[in-house]
């Protein structure tokens, strides 16, 4: 299409007129945009500093600061396009519809999100704690918004969804400073119970990692058909727990071998009952 110089001049003049008329809105909109981004950055830093001074959890601090950042950015963007003269009511309605659709399609994720918020707020455990939940035991490595990351004793990484984690039972082994080991040693009926108890007590007293307070407990737990079950319950710090657990078993075995005491196989009553019922059925 060929345009003569008069038409080109007319279009150019029209464009310049529109640009001149629209330039105040354009300039003011970009001023609002850049000033708003700068103010949002200052507000975000200020809020983070306040939460750090109040000793809030680092994960919660980062999460709340990020939410505030994006909320302020959305408000700024709506103000920016409104200043440009673009109708915002339809835009806000579209955002609301999109939010509803995303919420319905991500119900499981929202459950995990809510669970993460509950964990961060109520703190049933922290990073570094050893917990048992959802059938696994591990040390908490990271608490994220949707999942919690555990490291097991054999260095495996397990991700547990926060929704199921917050709604289930959680055993926190690190919340208390000390912990009791619950051991069971089965001896034959020919053994002198008093002598066996004295030997176990001596083993515990000779172990410097076993705490004197609370005092360790050595008592008869049960009398089964084949053995006398002795309950051995020493206390130790969380750091020494597994060492005390293993040392108690090893040292008791060595002491019993020296004294000629026979340790019987430990059979749970439930297992014995199941075996008896199976024999009766046969």
């Amino acid at each position: 299409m060929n345009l003569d110089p008069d038409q080109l001049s007319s279009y150019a003049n029209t464009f310049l007129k529109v640009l001149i008329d629209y330039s105040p809105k354009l300039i003011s909109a970009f001023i609002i945009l850049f000033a708003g981004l700068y103010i949002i950055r200052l507000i975000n830093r200020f809020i983070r500093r306040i939460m750090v001074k109040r000793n809030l959890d680092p994960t919660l601090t980062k999460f709340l600061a990020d939410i505030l950042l994006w909320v302020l950015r959305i408000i700024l963007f709506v103000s920016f396009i409104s200043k440009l003269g673009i109708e915002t009511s339809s835009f806000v309605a579209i955002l609301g519809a999109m939010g509803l659709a995303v919420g319905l399609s991500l119900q499981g994720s929202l459950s995990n999100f809510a669970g993460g918020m509950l964990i961060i707020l109520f703190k049933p455990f922290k990073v570094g704690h050893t917990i048992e939940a959802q059938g696994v035991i591990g040390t908490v490595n990271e608490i994220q918004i949707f999942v919690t990351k555990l490291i097991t004793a054999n260095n495996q990484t397990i991700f547990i969804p926060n929704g199921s984690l917050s709604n289930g039972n959680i055993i926190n082994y690190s919340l208390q400073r000390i912990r009791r080991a619950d051991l069971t040693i089965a001896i034959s009926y020919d053994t002198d119970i008093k002598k066996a108890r004295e030997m176990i007590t001596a083993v515990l007293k000779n172990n410097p990692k076993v705490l004197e307070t609370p005092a360790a407990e050595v008592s008869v737990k049960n009398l089964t058909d084949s053995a006398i079950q002795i309950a051995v319950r020493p206390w130790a710090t969380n750091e020494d727990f597994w060492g005390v657990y293993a040392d108690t078993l090893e040292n008791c075995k060595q002491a019993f071998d020296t004294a000629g005491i026979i340790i019987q196989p430990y059979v749970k009553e439930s297992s014995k009952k199941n075996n008896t019922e199976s024999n009766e059925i046969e």
Side-chain angles (χ1 to χ4, degrees):
M1 183 175 63
N2 295 324
L3 297 176
D4 57 40
D6 292 338
Q7 287 179 320
L8 287 175
S9 178
S10 176
Y11 287 142
N13 291 333
T14 302
F15 175 75
L16 288 175
K17 184 178 182 303
V18 172
L19 182 61
I20 291 172
D21 293 339
Y22 194 69
S23 58
K25 289 184 178 181
L26 191 64
I27 293 172
S28 60
F30 276 99
I31 290 175
I32 290 174
L33 177 63
F34 291 117
L37 290 174
Y38 179 73
I39 294 173
I40 288 173
R41 192 179 300 112
L42 292 179
I43 293 175
N44 190 260
R45 290 178 181 174
F46 178 71
I47 295 299
R48 285 177 182 267
R49 195 176 296 115
I50 289 178
M51 289 190 288
V52 169
K53 286 183 179 180
R54 292 180 178 273
N55 296 322
L56 290 182
D57 186 88
T59 306
L60 180 61
T61 299
K62 182 179 183 303
F63 174 69
L64 293 178
D66 289 344
I67 287 182
L68 177 63
L69 178 65
W70 282 105
V71 168
L72 292 177
R73 283 178 176 176
I74 291 174
I75 295 175
L76 176 62
F77 178 70
V78 173
S79 301
F80 172 72
I81 63 174
S82 176
K83 192 64 178 178
L84 290 176
I86 301 174
E87 184 63 36
T88 58
S89 57
S90 58
F91 180 75
V92 173
I94 292 173
L95 283 180
M98 290 176 59
L100 179 61
V102 171
L104 292 175
S105 61
L106 298 177
Q107 290 184 7
S109 298
L110 290 177
S111 173
N112 293 330
F113 171 80
M117 289 297 298
L118 291 174
I119 291 172
I120 292 172
L121 288 173
F122 294 103
K123 300 178 181 179
F125 54 82
K126 297 180 180 179
V127 173
H129 284 186
T130 300
I131 66 170
E132 179 179 353
Q134 300 298 308
V136 296
I137 301 176
T139 301
V140 179
N141 180 262
E142 186 178 359
I143 304 173
Q144 301 177 3
I145 295 303
F146 295 101
V147 297
T148 294
K149 183 166 71 173
L150 303 183
I151 305 296
T152 63
N154 58 350
N155 205 34
Q156 291 180 335
T157 303
I158 300 177
F159 293 91
I160 303 179
N162 286 334
S164 56
L165 184 60
S166 62
N167 291 322
N169 294 329
I170 301 173
I171 301 176
N172 191 331
Y173 294 110
S174 303
L175 201 57
Q176 303 298 326
R177 188 182 64 84
I178 61 176
R179 183 177 169 190
R180 190 184 75 180
D182 293 330
L183 306 170
T184 300
I185 299 178
I187 58 177
S188 67
Y189 275 96
D190 296 332
T191 306
D192 186 340
I193 297 178
K194 184 178 180 181
K195 180 180 178 181
R197 289 180 57 205
E198 290 175 351
M199 294 178 65
I200 296 173
T201 302
V203 166
L204 297 178
K205 287 184 177 180
N206 291 331
N207 190 339
K209 294 182 179 180
V210 175
L211 300 178
E212 295 182 0
T213 305
E217 179 183 348
V218 181
S219 59
V220 176
K221 178 181 179 181
N222 196 11
L223 300 176
T224 67
D225 294 338
S226 59
I228 303 171
Q229 292 182 353
I230 306 294
V232 184
R233 302 187 178 106
W235 289 84
T237 62
N238 285 326
E239 295 79 9
D240 296 333
F241 176 80
W242 289 112
V244 168
Y245 193 102
D247 290 344
T248 300
L249 291 176
E250 180 179 349
N251 295 337
C252 285
K253 175 65 167 62
Q254 292 178 350
F256 283 1
D257 287 346
T258 302
I261 297 175
I262 299 175
I263 297 179
Q264 298 291 100
Y266 175 47
V267 180
K268 291 185 178 180
E269 290 300 311
S270 58
S271 300
K272 181 187 293 186
K273 182 179 180 181
N274 291 336
N275 293 334
T276 303
E277 291 177 350
S278 299
N279 293 333
E280 290 177 353
I281 292 174
E282 293 176 357

